Amino acid sequence: MTTTTETTTTTDAEMTAERTTGGTRPARVDFAKAAPKAFKALIGLDAAAREGLDPALVELVQIRASQLNHCAYCLHMHTTDAHAAGERPERINLVGVWEEAGEAGFYTAKEQAALALTEAVTLLPGGVPDEVYERAARHFEEAELARLIALIFTINAWNRIAVTTRKVPGKG
């Protein structure tokens, strides 16, 4: 499709570039449209991972992984969702320094264990250290821990899709 005005002609690719990158970079694939089965499968995995987990914890994990992955699109989405769900701004703002803020009482021991596991799984600095895994295992029952791990690798997948396809924060 081509849209023509008096002075310009806009192609589908250019409209996609405007929508996905604010017009500042070349357009990249629309993952949901180009790979709908993979997209739907990831949505299903995401929903299954969240099941039974505290919604506040879910957002904190997704915010922290998105920070580590430099995914502005997901970071914007999950901080917005956390605010809308009633999460305190201080907790959202301090998640990047959760260890220090945890010492000041901003995060529970369970949340701190989840955030430590999020960092270890996201960064994989030679694997997930036993002490990080065992810390999380002390706070989460086995099935809950498995869903937390699934949540962490799901947000990492979303981050990688958004970064690779240059999704723009605040734009669908």
Side-chain angles (χ1 to χ4, degrees):
M1 176 183 105
T2 302
T3 305
T4 306
T5 63
E6 291 179 342
T7 58
T8 62
T9 300
T10 306
T11 66
D12 281 343
E14 290 167 329
M15 288 189 293
T16 299
E18 179 64 32
R19 185 183 78 250
T20 62
T21 67
T24 60
R25 298 189 215 170
R28 294 207 175 168
V29 68
D30 181 332
F31 185 81
K33 286 183 181 177
K37 287 183 180 179
F39 184 77
K40 287 178 184 176
L42 192 53
I43 288 173
L45 178 59
D46 188 84
R50 293 167 181 258
E51 196 172 293
L53 292 176
D54 174 27
L57 178 72
V58 168
E59 293 304 332
L60 293 174
V61 164
Q62 292 179 322
I63 290 167
R64 186 62 187 134
S66 298
Q67 290 171 333
L68 294 169
N69 288 319
H70 301 269
C71 183
Y73 179 83
C74 293
L75 186 57
H76 177 266
M77 177 190 310
H78 295 295
T79 56
T80 300
D81 290 350
H83 280 292
E87 183 60 77
R88 293 191 346 250
E90 298 85 6
R91 285 171 39 91
I92 296 169
N93 295 338
L94 293 172
V95 76
V97 290
W98 63 267
E99 288 179 274
E100 296 81 0
E103 292 173 11
F106 282 92
Y107 304 103
T108 67
K110 185 174 184 174
E111 289 168 334
Q112 291 177 63
L115 291 167
L117 187 62
T118 299
E119 289 185 2
V121 172
T122 299
L123 300 173
L124 286 176
V128 175
D130 289 340
E131 60 274 5
V132 171
Y133 184 88
E134 290 164 7
R135 179 180 181 186
R138 284 192 301 271
H139 293 281
F140 294 88
E141 293 181 15
E142 191 171 277
E144 189 180 28
L145 180 59
R147 288 190 307 274
L148 175 61
I149 293 167
L151 175 72
I152 295 166
F153 64 71
T154 303
I155 187 57
N156 275 279
W158 286 124
N159 289 164
R160 282 154 176 76
I161 291 167
V163 169
T164 302
T165 62
R166 293 187 177 152
K167 297 286 285 180
V168 176
K171 296 189 178 192

